[in-house]
């Protein structure tokens, strides 16, 4: 790889610092009362109010419980798919990672339609048991944990599978040659070897749960976690408190990021680099075991897909046609037609698409350039660029959204602050920042695998820089770049957490529109929006988004 | 007539001088081998020839033209990389055609040149194969065909055989050498293996610590090594201490005098290190005036038996014996054979080699 000039690296670092680091820094400074003078009264207030530190406590225990539940689902699932052969394994293997690719808000409303008070499953149970009212209510911490377990097990599943694929079969053979039984081998050999990967998965799950917004926002009710508390404070105009809450949540996230980097978690996500040969998948011998694995695999897939299938069903239910019946009495395309015929309702779809495209393009350009420069410019500048690519990944969306909102609602051009809040630009900009780690990290992965000698080989064959870039570098990096770009596009297209803080009427995205449709009892239209997000996300993810180990 | 000329090439990485004023000239059609241990600077020198590294000082000329400032793409040097660096997303044919396409050669002409090159490396009809489908030896030959296709002025080879298993290495080495001869191309070939260097090089440049230790044919390096380092690096050598007693005569033990090769002995008296090659010595009956020692071990190598003899002071000598070998522990005498290139006298150990 040819050396990039230092000034290009410095310029890019400046731009990224302004986008990524500066809003966080401004928020921290202002929470401390700076620049007027050090003033810790807001922090004192945070400690004094029980509902404030309770939100913090809720965040912590919800995240910890989510890790436990996700592990409970993800680890056995990882073992099942890595070690056993059963009909439909490959298809189900792709389906079970879908929850990570679908917008969280879509998952949440799908849960609402299935398990909510008038949800499909709730009705089945209620009518089946002849109850007068719904057997359960989908709210509070239980509902949040259910949604978290459902979507976050993917980390444990992927890490377990990757670790098992890397496993050297001869270690297991050695254990059995030494007389160890299956249980003993699992306890003393397999699990200890998996431990680093599981710790990594646990950390990622914890951090994602910590930043989770959609589920607590819709199901939390009076049960607040830090992200929802921040948004509530900001809506109530308690900006000082919002700053302090943001700083607290950011501090937790930075602690997590520090741990992730210290433990080198990324390493465990990849199946490659194996020494020795991974144990081959066992074709289950006993009939019963094979049946059990097949039933477990398919049962789980149905459980995972049921909410989304319900969402599709609801999208076909005409308004106020379904009241007390078990199943909707009428199905039709009314919701789709009404959406297509109403420009006001198409507007959010158009908004989401153009903003996601613009943000993805920008993030791809900045992320890939930063990745390349961070590899060629060694030393501090390179490390700083890499850090700027990682930080937005660790910081919860709410923190970024609020930090951007607070920083760019002030005009102070000489301080690098402009009034962007309320304009067309703030949301695409926020999306871009949130997408940087996705595009940047996959570009980094692609570049690290790229053999720089190929560029030398091309040069030795008389190819100029442009020709080499077009014929060699770009085609070989394309899969990694496409994967990063499609994941970035999916995340921004369905984004809710950033949008709810920063949207304006003119830039309202699909997610915000889903929420207002729900509030207007327009469930059918909300479902149509959800189906749109789901189909686009799933298609893009399955076609371009799947990178080895990601 | 020198075709490729290297003049005072100097290169540093930070404080480390990796090449310290290398001068060399390669005739047209000649294969020059850059031989040396790892860290000797041979790969850096090759990368400077290719244009991937820029020397701090020095000039590089091809057929009288100064190419020092040309970027790699405009030098028209072909290169075979250590790990081949085949383009994984292109098939064999497109790999070989790459340099032609980059130069804007029309497609039809590309096709016939690719076929010609693949025939040359004995892989006819391999155009549509994916590069990861073929064996390591075949990949190696595709890399060669790719480098030769645009008719480069000079071919550079960076340890081209190091990735092959030993059995394949020998055969591929012969094939490579045959292709270079047939094409008649001027080549610079980097290796750290003496056998390979002797086999493929018309001449050999032996590098160590960024300095050119000796440049010459294999026979010259072997029989007239310029330094202790060269003597040790090419072939086997035993060393024993001695004292020069007259021009061309060294006392290696009390009362034991050996004639050393004529050009190695300056007139000055003093301590010297004497080098003896196993095949230049023989075992004799112990007697006065004969170097004596005890047989420590012996090893049958096929064409001779390599006998390790330990002298009273602990020095060990290797002797290639063609006769029945006395049992371990028996007392034997060691004598140099007349008219051979060793024993030779060098400055004693600790000096930087150099002339005796």
């Amino acid at each position: 790889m040819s050396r990039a000039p230092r000034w290009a690296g410095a310029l890019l670092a400046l731009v990224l610092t302004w986008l990524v680091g500066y809003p966080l820094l401004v928020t921290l400074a202002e929470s401390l009362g700076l620049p007027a003078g050090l003033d810790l009264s807001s922090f004192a207030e945070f400690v004094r109010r029980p509902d404030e530190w309770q939100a913090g406590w809720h965040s912590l225990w919800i995240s910890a419980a989510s890790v436990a539940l996700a592990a409970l689902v993800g680890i056995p699932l990882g073992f099942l798919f890595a070690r056993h052969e059963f009909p439909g394994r490959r298809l189900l293997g792709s389906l079970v990672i879908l929850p990570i690719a679908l917008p969280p808000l879509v998952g949440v409303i799908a849960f609402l339609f299935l398990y909510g008070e008038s949800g499909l499953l709730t009705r089945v149970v209620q009518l089946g048991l002849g109850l007068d009212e719904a057997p359960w209510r989908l709210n509070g911490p239980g509902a949040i944990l259910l949604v978290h377990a459902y979507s976050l097990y993917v980390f444990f599943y992927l890490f377990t599978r990757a670790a098992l694929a890397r496993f050297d079969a001869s270690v297991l053979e050695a254990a059995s040659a030494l007389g160890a039984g299956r249980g003993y081998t699992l306890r003393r050999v397999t699990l200890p070897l998996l431990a680093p990967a599981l710790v990594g998965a646990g950390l990622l799950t914890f951090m994602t749960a910590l930043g989770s917004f959609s589920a607590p926002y819709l199901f939390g009710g009076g049960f607040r976690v830090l992200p929802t508390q921040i948004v509530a404070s900001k809506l109530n105009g308690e900006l000082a408190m919002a700053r302090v809450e943001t700083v607290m949540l950011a501090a937790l996230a930075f602690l997590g990021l520090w741990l992730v980097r210290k433990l080198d978690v990324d390493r465990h996500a990849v199946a490659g680099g194996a020494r020795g040969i991974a144990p081959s998948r066992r074709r289950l011998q006993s009939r019963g075991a094979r049946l059990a694995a097949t039933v477990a695999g398919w049962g789980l897939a149905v459980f995972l897909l049921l909410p989304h299938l319900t969402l599709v069903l609801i999208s076909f239910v005409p308004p106020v046609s379904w009241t007390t019946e078990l199943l909707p009495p009428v199905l039709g395309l009314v919701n789709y037609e009404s959406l297509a015929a109403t420009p006001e309702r198409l507007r959010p779809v158009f908004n989401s698409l153009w903003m996601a495209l613009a943000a993805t393009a920008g993030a791809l350009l900045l992320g890939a350039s930063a990745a390349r420069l961070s590899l060629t410019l060694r030393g501090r500048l390179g490390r700083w660029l890499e850090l700027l690519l990682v930080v937005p990944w660790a910081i919860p969306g709410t923190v970024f959204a609020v930090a951007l909102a607070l920083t760019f609602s002030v005009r102070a051009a000489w301080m690098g602050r402009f009034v962007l809040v309320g304009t067309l630009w703030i949301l695409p900009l926020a999306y871009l920042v949130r997408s940087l780690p996705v595009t940047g990290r996959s570009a980094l992965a692609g570049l690290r695998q790229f053999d720089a000698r190929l560029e030398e080989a091309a040069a030795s064959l008389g190819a100029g820089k442009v020709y080499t870039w077009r014929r060699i570098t770009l085609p070989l990096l394309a899969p990694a770049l496409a994967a990063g770009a499609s994941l970035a596009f999916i995340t921004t297209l369905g984004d809710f957490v950033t949008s709810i803080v920063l949207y304006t009427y003119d830039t309202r995205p699909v997610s915000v529109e889903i929420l207002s449709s729900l509030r207007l009892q327009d469930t059918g239209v909300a479902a149509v929006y959800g189906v749109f997000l789901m189909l686009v996300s799933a298609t893009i993810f399955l076609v371009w988004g799947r990178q080895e180990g990601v | 007539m020198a075709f490729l000329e290297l003049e005072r090439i100097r290169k540093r990485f930070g404080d480390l001088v990796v090449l310290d004023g290398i001068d060399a000239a390669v005739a047209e059609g000649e294969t020059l081998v850059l031989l040396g241990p790892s860290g000797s600077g041979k790969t850096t020198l090759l990368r400077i020839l290719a244009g991937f590294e820029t020397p701090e000082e020095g000039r590089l000329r091809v057929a009288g033209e100064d190419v020092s400032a040309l970027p790699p793409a405009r030098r028209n040097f072909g290169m075979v990389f250590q790990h081949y660096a085949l383009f994984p997303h292109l098939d064999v044919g497109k790999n070989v055609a790459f340099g032609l396409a980059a130069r804007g050669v029309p497609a039809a002409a590309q096709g016939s040149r690719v076929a010609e090159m693949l025939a040359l490396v004995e892989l006819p009809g391999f155009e549509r194969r994916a590069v990861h489908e073929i064996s390591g030896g075949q990949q190696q030959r595709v890399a060669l065909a790719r480098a030769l296709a645009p008719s480069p002025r000079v071919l550079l080879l960076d340890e081209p055989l190091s990735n092959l298993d030993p059995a394949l290495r020998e055969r591929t080495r012969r094939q490579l050498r045959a292709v270079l001869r047939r094409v008649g191309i001027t080549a610079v070939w980097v290796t750290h293996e003496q056998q390979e260097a002797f086999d493929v090089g018309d001449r050999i440049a032996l590098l160590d610590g960024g300095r050119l230790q000796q440049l010459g044919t294999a026979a010259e390096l072997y029989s007239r090594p310029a330094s202790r380092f060269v003597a040790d690096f090419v072939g086997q050598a035993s060393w024993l201490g001695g004292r020069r007693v007259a021009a061309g005569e060294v006392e290696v033990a009390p009362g034991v005098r050996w004639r050393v090769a004529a050009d190695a002995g300056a007139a000055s008296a003093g301590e010297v290190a004497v080098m003896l090659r196993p095949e230049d010595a023989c075992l004799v009956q112990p007697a006065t005036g004969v170097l004596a020692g005890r047989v420590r071990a012996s090893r049958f190598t096929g064409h001779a038996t390599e006998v390790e003899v330990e002298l009273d002071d602990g020095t060990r000598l290797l002797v290639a014996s063609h006769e029945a070998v006395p049992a371990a522990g028996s007392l034997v005498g060691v004598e140099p054979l007349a008219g051979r290139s060793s024993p030779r006298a060098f400055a004693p150990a600790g000096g930087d080699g150099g002339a005796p």
Side-chain angles (χ1 to χ4, degrees), chain B residues 239-243 250-253 271-274 291 311 313 315 348:
Chain B
W239 293 92
L240 59 167
R243 200 168 53 81
V250 171
E251 189 175 65
V252 292
E271 295 292 316
V272 290
V274 177
L291 189 64
L311 308 185
D313 62 359
T315 309

Side-chain angles (χ1 to χ4, degrees), chain A residues 43-323:
Chain A
F43 282 89
E45 184 72 13
F46 180 86
V47 179
R48 205 160 41 238
R49 287 198 205 167
D51 51 336
E52 292 296 332
W53 55 259
Q54 262 178 14
W57 164 241
H58 290 164
S59 272
L60 287 177
W61 82 253
I62 282 279
S63 304
S66 301
V67 171
L69 286 175
L72 223 55
V73 180
I75 298 173
L77 201 63
F79 268 94
L80 180 69
F81 278 81
R83 288 277 173 85
H84 301 292
E85 189 60 72
F86 56 89
R89 189 188 62 83
R90 289 176 61 87
L91 174 72
L92 295 177
S94 333
L95 286 181
V96 295
I97 52 175
L98 267 183
I100 208 75
L102 296 177
L105 182 70
V106 174
V108 169
I109 63 163
F111 257 72
L112 193 65
F113 293 154
L114 182 61
Y115 300 113
E117 230 165 306
S118 53
L120 189 62
L121 192 80
T122 320
R123 284 168 194 252
V124 171
V125 174
Q126 190 181 345
L127 290 179
L129 297 177
L131 301 173
D132 286 340
E133 45 184 90
W136 59 71
R137 307 177 72 102
L138 191 66
N139 63 13
I144 298 172
L145 283 178
L146 185 67
V147 176
H148 281 183
Y150 160 79
S151 49
L152 298 181
Y153 73 85
V154 178
F155 290 118
F156 277 101
Y157 166 74
L158 282 177
F159 275 53
T160 305
R161 270 196 77 167
L164 287 176
R166 221 173 346 182
F167 218 85
D168 187 347
S170 61
V171 173
L172 296 181
E173 285 160 6
S176 77
L178 291 165
R182 259 211 212 158
Y184 191 80
T185 306
L186 181 71
R187 210 168 60 244
R188 294 290 306 275
V189 179
T190 311
L191 286 180
L193 283 171
L194 286 185
L198 297 184
V199 169
L203 253 172
L204 293 188
T205 309
F206 188 88
M207 291 178 68
T208 316
L210 191 68
S212 164
F213 177 78
S214 302
Y217 187 74
L218 268 88
F219 296 145
F223 181 86
R224 293 264 176 80
V225 291
L226 274 178
T228 49
Q229 184 74 2
I230 291 172
V231 171
S233 295
K234 185 170 175 296
L235 288 180
N236 292 338
E238 291 191 83
L239 291 190
M241 194 47 71
R243 281 192 198 102
V244 172
E245 291 154 1
T246 306
V247 168
M248 300 307 273
L249 185 54
L252 284 177
F254 269 110
L255 186 69
L257 175 63
W258 178 75
L259 270 177
V260 164
R261 288 175 73 82
K262 193 167 168 62
L263 299 176
D264 200 4
V265 165
D266 278 1
R267 169 169 60 98
H268 303 297
V270 189
R275 267 174 314 181
I277 296 157
S280 60
R281 259 186 286 281
R282 248 201 320 273
R283 260 198 74 81
L284 289 168
Q285 288 307 321
S286 96
R287 214 119 134 264
R290 198 156 61 225
L291 192 70
T294 313
V295 168
W298 282 93
L300 213 108
V302 168
F303 166 74
L304 293 174
L305 290 178
L306 204 54
H308 294 93
L309 292 176
T310 312
L311 185 71
V312 175
L313 179 73
I314 300 289
S315 77
F316 290 111
V317 177
V320 292
S321 66
W322 187 19
T323 48

Side-chain angles (χ1 to χ4, degrees), chain A residues 451 453-464 467-468 471-473 475-476, chain B residues 47 52 72-73 77 79 81 83 85-90 98-99 101-103 146:
Chain A
D451 185 354
R453 280 169 304 206
L454 295 178
E455 287 183 343
E456 291 185 354
S460 80
L461 290 164
Y467 190 82
T468 302
R471 288 283 315 273
I472 304 297
T473 318
L476 286 171
Chain B
R47 291 176 58 80
F52 300 137
F77 282 19
M79 179 142 172
F81 290 78
H83 302 276
L86 295 178
F87 304 128
H89 61 307
L90 303 179
F98 188 88
R103 287 169 171 76
R146 180 179 73 173

